[in-house]
Amino acid sequence: MLEKALNGNKYYWWWIGLLLACIAVGAYNYVLQFQHGLQLTNMSRDVSWGFYVAQLTYLVGVAASGVMLVLPYYLHDYKKFGNLVVFGEFMAIGAIIMCLLFVIVDLGQPKRLMNVVLHPTPNSVLFWDMIVLNGYMFLNIIVGWASLEAQKKGVPYAKWVKILAIVSVPFAFSIHTVTAFLYAGIPARHFWLTAIMAARFLASAFCAGPAIMLLLLFIVEKVAKFELGEYAVKMLARIITYAMIFNVFFFGLELFTAFYSQIPGHMHSIVYLFAGLEDPATGQHLGVMVPYFWTAAFLALLSLALLIPSTTRNCKPVLIFALLILIAATWIDKGMGLVVAGFIPNMFEGVTEYMPSSTELFISLGIYAIGALVVTVLWKIAVSVKKAAA
Amino acid sequence: MYDGGKIIAGLIVFLGIVGFPFWYNAGSAGYKTPELKLPPKSKATECIEATEWMRAEHMQLLNTWRDSVVREGNLEYTTASGSHVEMSLQKSCMDCHDSKKDFCDKCHTAAAVEPYCWDCHIAPKEEK
Amino acid sequence: MKTTRRDFLKVAGVTALGMAAGAGSALANSKGAYLPHYEHMAPGHQHLTAKRWGMVIDTRAFHGEEDFAPLIEACHKEHNVPHLPGKQEVKWLWTDSFHASFPHNHQEFLAERVHHSRYLLLCNHCDNPPCVRVCPTKATFKREDGIVMMDMHRCIGCRFCMAGCPYGSRSFNFQDPRPFIAEENPVYPTRMKGVVEKCTFCTERLAEGKMPACVEASEGKIVFGDLGDPDSEIRHILAENFTLRRKPDLGTSPSVFYII
């Protein structure tokens, strides 16, 4: 079926060319980082994880969101998702490839990556994260490919495909739960040390992931003249809305516990995100995240205001706008704030700020382009097969 | 109809890439075991194990020493002739073999291997 | 003849067994085969042992940076710790204020002497170390004598331990540290870029029967000994003095104590 990715119009090839150019920029910057070390990033002794790990966290959510199609379709036999489910699986593949790449570029000694396998350490959450991420990726490759091939041949998918699809459901939940456990089990990082972290992660994943997917599907609908199905879109929009409600609600729970209890450690990081903190050593007031976080809070609430009433939700231009701001809000929350705020204040209650360096941004651009390329090729195949089968 | 031309072209490219190490090195001189400069007899008359064995196995020995010292807290090694040495690349090995250039590098360069020992471990100062 | 799956498995099993046996005897016969001489490896005959190593720092005996400097210099020289400026610095032993050192001990109206003092900071060699718990390769591990040790050969530089350590004891080599080491100690390695490092309680000195470098340089202001032995000097000092540990509420059980 791969050959179907080789037939496209000139816009398709321009898009592929653009992605390859971005990948080249990322690769060049990675070579520099490989040679000179992570000194090219803005990470520090105090903020020892940054943009890369944050993108990993966000994209694990995007990958997990495929389950919002798989679960209704395979488990509840919700046929209206039948046409879309493979897109969810293929997007998960692209997202996980990006996750794994973000892990690798974050390592100080990437050549020793295999030490994680050579010296397996079950007490480390990172070990389990590796297992579930790879497991989920292979499940999606097998299930997505096999079901698409069945459709190409005009036969129903085999029974084992359904079994593996159902196995992938707990895997999807586990990848994001385990990723949340990377943070939620660490003593002394109060911002992360919260039992609701995994639930928050899942809620934000199940709104942001399907939102990205729905926007991309709208593009596919337009450029490939591919019918998504009105009911499927409406259902997906409803899922996104509910998940976003939970996401905002869970964040509200964090705010309550921190500010009603008034325990300093619980409040500090949140205060830093929304108002900034004073560094005791220098007396400087630092708050580079503040404008981003007020923007995120505003966009999150606005997206809910647009998504909850069915009149605005069912109006496509409004829906597209609401999805865009929802993605922006969740990305600022998880892709920028969550990781960094865990390190602020530092272990000495000092404040060292962080914003990604140009090297980090270029490498990340390259990885996002790789993900986009994988998704483009896989979706192109899926659309071609489905149009030929119809 | 079977795209024969394309298949053959593809095969040629494939063989070209796979065979790269062979045709790239074709015509260059054959491998000769480099001559090592051994420590003078005044310094040492024997190594901790037989020379042949060391030549073949020194990397495994060093890996075992590494784990034994760093992870198990050991320090002393009983040599083939029954004497004791400290398990230390910097303090023991390089004490006799006091030139990395004339000892380690000779074979490693000829065999095109780059062990990462020296990224951390400090080689003795070379006498010019 | 029809080969059933069972027949096939039988033949396959026998073949595999035969090959394994052949390979085994071949290995045993060949002279070049490597036999790790584990029985030839032993701790140094002078090495110091303990059930659980620990440290008491008498903060009353230190009166300013000039009292700390020789200790820090002894440690950083011994272990080839680079002097890197800026927020990507590397340090094993350093000082900070009371509030920074004991953030869970925020005392209002703190005694002037305590408020103005500096406190010596290093890895706490926790009895229940979170860094060991999170490391995905066992590059950081706890030895039987309680020392939390780093295997720089194995570290992949994921920096999970730095997120996990509640004491900010760990440094990452954001770049090759060698150009920043003024004078190399030829009997100790440096590190390479991309690995994490920290204080090791001078395992290399304990193995040779010597006290840690900072303890030696402190001239009695720091006592190092076995916390697991009720009759040890360190336990007597702990019994006679009120001490603090950093962030004890986290359950990590640090092995470094401060007499205030």
PDB file of all heavy atoms in Angstrom, chain A residues 306 308-315 318:
ATOM      1  N   LEU A 306     -17.451  28.377  23.893  1.00  0.00           N
ATOM      2  CA  LEU A 306     -17.868  28.156  22.507  1.00  0.00           C
ATOM      3  C   LEU A 306     -18.262  26.712  22.255  1.00  0.00           C
ATOM      4  O   LEU A 306     -19.060  26.414  21.368  1.00  0.00           O
ATOM      5  CB  LEU A 306     -16.734  28.553  21.559  1.00  0.00           C
ATOM      6  CG  LEU A 306     -16.372  30.038  21.544  1.00  0.00           C
ATOM      7  CD1 LEU A 306     -15.143  30.278  20.688  1.00  0.00           C
ATOM      8  CD2 LEU A 306     -17.548  30.876  21.047  1.00  0.00           C
ATOM      9  N   ILE A 308     -19.418  24.344  24.653  1.00  0.00           N
ATOM     10  CA  ILE A 308     -20.508  23.744  25.429  1.00  0.00           C
ATOM     11  C   ILE A 308     -21.878  23.967  24.771  1.00  0.00           C
ATOM     12  O   ILE A 308     -22.635  23.013  24.600  1.00  0.00           O
ATOM     13  CB  ILE A 308     -20.478  24.239  26.892  1.00  0.00           C
ATOM     14  CG1 ILE A 308     -19.220  23.665  27.578  1.00  0.00           C
ATOM     15  CG2 ILE A 308     -21.728  23.789  27.646  1.00  0.00           C
ATOM     16  CD1 ILE A 308     -18.970  24.203  28.972  1.00  0.00           C
ATOM     17  N   PRO A 309     -22.257  25.201  24.352  1.00  0.00           N
ATOM     18  CA  PRO A 309     -23.572  25.342  23.686  1.00  0.00           C
ATOM     19  C   PRO A 309     -23.564  24.646  22.323  1.00  0.00           C
ATOM     20  O   PRO A 309     -22.641  24.859  21.518  1.00  0.00           O
ATOM     21  CB  PRO A 309     -23.717  26.865  23.518  1.00  0.00           C
ATOM     22  CG  PRO A 309     -22.639  27.480  24.357  1.00  0.00           C
ATOM     23  CD  PRO A 309     -21.549  26.487  24.446  1.00  0.00           C
ATOM     24  N   SER A 310     -24.536  23.808  22.072  1.00  0.00           N
ATOM     25  CA  SER A 310     -24.518  23.027  20.823  1.00  0.00           C
ATOM     26  C   SER A 310     -24.674  23.928  19.604  1.00  0.00           C
ATOM     27  O   SER A 310     -24.214  23.591  18.517  1.00  0.00           O
ATOM     28  CB  SER A 310     -25.616  21.964  20.857  1.00  0.00           C
ATOM     29  OG  SER A 310     -26.866  22.579  21.059  1.00  0.00           O
ATOM     30  N   THR A 311     -25.302  25.089  19.765  1.00  0.00           N
ATOM     31  CA  THR A 311     -25.469  25.971  18.604  1.00  0.00           C
ATOM     32  C   THR A 311     -24.125  26.436  18.062  1.00  0.00           C
ATOM     33  O   THR A 311     -23.878  26.403  16.855  1.00  0.00           O
ATOM     34  CB  THR A 311     -26.307  27.217  18.976  1.00  0.00           C
ATOM     35  OG1 THR A 311     -25.853  27.710  20.238  1.00  0.00           O
ATOM     36  CG2 THR A 311     -27.778  26.900  19.044  1.00  0.00           C
ATOM     37  N   THR A 312     -23.222  26.872  18.977  1.00  0.00           N
ATOM     38  CA  THR A 312     -21.915  27.317  18.495  1.00  0.00           C
ATOM     39  C   THR A 312     -21.040  26.127  18.118  1.00  0.00           C
ATOM     40  O   THR A 312     -20.278  26.185  17.154  1.00  0.00           O
ATOM     41  CB  THR A 312     -21.197  28.162  19.563  1.00  0.00           C
ATOM     42  OG1 THR A 312     -21.331  27.505  20.833  1.00  0.00           O
ATOM     43  CG2 THR A 312     -21.758  29.555  19.647  1.00  0.00           C
ATOM     44  N   ARG A 313     -21.168  25.022  18.868  1.00  0.00           N
ATOM     45  CA  ARG A 313     -20.322  23.868  18.599  1.00  0.00           C
ATOM     46  C   ARG A 313     -20.613  23.293  17.213  1.00  0.00           C
ATOM     47  O   ARG A 313     -19.717  22.804  16.522  1.00  0.00           O
ATOM     48  CB  ARG A 313     -20.513  22.800  19.684  1.00  0.00           C
ATOM     49  CG  ARG A 313     -19.544  21.636  19.525  1.00  0.00           C
ATOM     50  CD  ARG A 313     -19.658  20.620  20.647  1.00  0.00           C
ATOM     51  NE  ARG A 313     -20.913  19.897  20.606  1.00  0.00           N
ATOM     52  CZ  ARG A 313     -21.769  19.819  21.602  1.00  0.00           C
ATOM     53  NH1 ARG A 313     -21.519  20.440  22.737  1.00  0.00           N
ATOM     54  NH2 ARG A 313     -22.893  19.133  21.484  1.00  0.00           N
ATOM     55  N   ASN A 314     -21.868  23.334  16.807  1.00  0.00           N
ATOM     56  CA  ASN A 314     -22.232  22.725  15.526  1.00  0.00           C
ATOM     57  C   ASN A 314     -22.022  23.650  14.332  1.00  0.00           C
ATOM     58  O   ASN A 314     -22.253  23.264  13.198  1.00  0.00           O
ATOM     59  CB  ASN A 314     -23.686  22.255  15.567  1.00  0.00           C
ATOM     60  CG  ASN A 314     -23.834  21.055  16.476  1.00  0.00           C
ATOM     61  OD1 ASN A 314     -22.853  20.343  16.729  1.00  0.00           O
ATOM     62  ND2 ASN A 314     -25.034  20.835  16.987  1.00  0.00           N
ATOM     63  N   CYS A 315     -21.578  24.884  14.618  1.00  0.00           N
ATOM     64  CA  CYS A 315     -21.265  25.805  13.527  1.00  0.00           C
ATOM     65  C   CYS A 315     -19.789  25.650  13.198  1.00  0.00           C
ATOM     66  O   CYS A 315     -18.913  25.926  14.019  1.00  0.00           O
ATOM     67  CB  CYS A 315     -21.586  27.235  13.988  1.00  0.00           C
ATOM     68  SG  CYS A 315     -20.925  28.478  12.875  1.00  0.00           S
ATOM     69  N   VAL A 318     -16.981  28.343  13.862  1.00  0.00           N
ATOM     70  CA  VAL A 318     -16.802  28.565  15.301  1.00  0.00           C
ATOM     71  C   VAL A 318     -16.083  27.377  15.927  1.00  0.00           C
ATOM     72  O   VAL A 318     -15.182  27.529  16.752  1.00  0.00           O
ATOM     73  CB  VAL A 318     -18.173  28.798  15.985  1.00  0.00           C
ATOM     74  CG1 VAL A 318     -17.983  28.995  17.487  1.00  0.00           C
ATOM     75  CG2 VAL A 318     -18.874  29.992  15.367  1.00  0.00           C
TER      76      VAL A 318
END
